[in-house]
Amino acid sequence: MMRFAPVATRTAAFVANGSRTPGFRAQALMGLRMMSAAAPGPKPVNPEFSSGPCKKRPGYDVANLYQKSLGRSHRSKLGKERLAFAISESKRLLGVPDDYLLGIVPASDTGAYEMAMWNMLGERDVDICHWESFGKGWFGDAVSHLKLRDTVKVTEFTADYGSLPDLDATNSDNDVLFTFNGTTSGVRVPEGCDFISDDRKGLTFCDATSACFAMNMPWEKLDVTTYSWQKVLGGEGAHGILILSPRAVERLETYTPENRPLPKVFRLAKNGKLEAGVFKGATINTPSMLAVEDYIDALGWTESKGGVQGLVKISQDNLSVVEKFVDENDWIDFLAKDPETRSSTSVCLTLDLTSDQIKQFVKILEDEDVAYDIGGYRDAPPSIRIWCGSTVETKDVEALMPWLKWAFDEAKQL
């Protein structure tokens, strides 16, 4: 069987064709996918399994993006129209209630979530739930930087990687912070979020960066929701989405934290009134219109796949492939303990290898151009993480599985 072309040749093809052009997809990648010596089978046509930024949608071509807004002011009539279109299409496709607001904000999901925390927390006691690194970061910021424990009671609900804390123990009178899907642990909240009371007095703050467009969002349970389009939709980085319920808007307009300076990029209200323009396309700072057009392209692809439910199915199908493989092999297992709360996007797996061997396992697959960027998150237990969101084609997940066994056998000898 044929081996791959030398790295220099592959690099030349990459530069000549461009990393996202049809020429690259049709010529370079297809050429790279040929089997090497002792290969277990065909390689994935596309080896991109990164958990963020994530793989572009199938058939993506940057040349096909709408380009008239590029080089134009985001405050021009056209710029505002394109931003407003991105907002309205996001609401429509996600099924966000009409009386909720959705806006494009700076600094990805992190910026959106921090913006909400700094504007709204401190009005009442807070329950913070975390079971992976990003949720733990929100807890750290709440107590160390916002210093909430100086003014309100902060209760921490936590669990080890692979498990959920007792979410039912949270208090509906309090504000509750949680991640919908633990991107670095592969553990999501239960379907429907029944741990959240319908008659709650506090607000819920949901980090849904690797859940929106991949999982069913119970909007009636969510007051503040954030995500980044660079996750499930394979968009570009640096922009976040902030979704607010009417109750969240009321908090913004009736509560001003004392002695808490807010930088310009965080300000959502002025003199007791919501900065409504943010939710109509008048962004706080200058967005990348190229990234916005890239996002609009992804929204159009979402529509073509049957909307959010079509994307949910692809992700579930991808997870099913991994589940079947894990069931058939005793050297690999899910980091998530409970199948009911197993993530269908950020699929985290443990291997019967040492930490150093897992690093070699990841390197072997990358060197073979089989799978890129599948190492576990730096704060997680030794593991791998395979993105199975809807931009990843199921046939590529299927092709990857035998290569995991091949790489395991190779790494075990090291």
Side-chain angles (χ1 to χ4, degrees), residues 125-201:
D125 294 343
V126 184
D127 293 345
I128 304 180
C129 310
H130 65 85
W131 53 95
E132 49 90 57
S133 57
F134 288 101
K136 185 177 181 179
W138 308 142
F139 171 77
D141 287 352
V143 298
S144 299
H145 297 282
L146 287 173
K147 300 185 183 301
L148 290 180
R149 282 182 167 157
D150 291 349
T151 55
V152 297
K153 181 181 178 181
V154 178
T155 304
E156 180 183 15
F157 296 84
T158 186
D160 293 333
Y161 278 79
S163 301
L164 281 175
D166 184 3
L167 300 175
D168 289 328
T170 56
N171 188 336
S172 62
D173 288 341
N174 298 346
D175 289 339
V176 178
L177 280 62
F178 67 99
T179 50
F180 198 98
N181 179 75
T183 311
T184 64
S185 71
V187 179
R188 55 158 293 172
V189 295
E191 186 80 18
C193 294
D194 288 340
F195 66 93
I196 298 172
S197 172
D198 290 335
D199 58 357
R200 60 192 176 278
K201 293 184 174 60

Side-chain angles (χ1 to χ4, degrees), residues 257-280:
E258 292 184 14
N259 302 316
R260 188 183 297 170
L262 291 177
K264 179 180 179 180
V265 293
F266 274 14
R267 294 173 198 158
L268 289 171
K270 182 178 181 180
N271 299 323
K273 286 293 183 182
L274 179 76
E275 292 279 15
V278 172
F279 304 94
K280 298 176 182 178

Side-chain angles (χ1 to χ4, degrees), residues 219-260:
W219 295 111
E220 72 280 1
K221 303 280 189 179
L222 309 177
D223 295 305
V224 177
T225 307
T226 64
Y227 70 90
S228 170
W229 57 51
Q230 56 99 351
K231 288 289 190 186
V232 175
L233 294 184
E236 295 302 300
H239 300 74
I241 297 290
L242 176 65
I243 303 173
L244 303 178
S245 73
R247 298 178 68 247
V249 173
E250 181 184 18
R251 172 73 64 85
L252 280 168
E253 294 188 330
T254 59
Y255 171 68
T256 301
E258 292 184 14
N259 302 316
R260 188 183 297 170

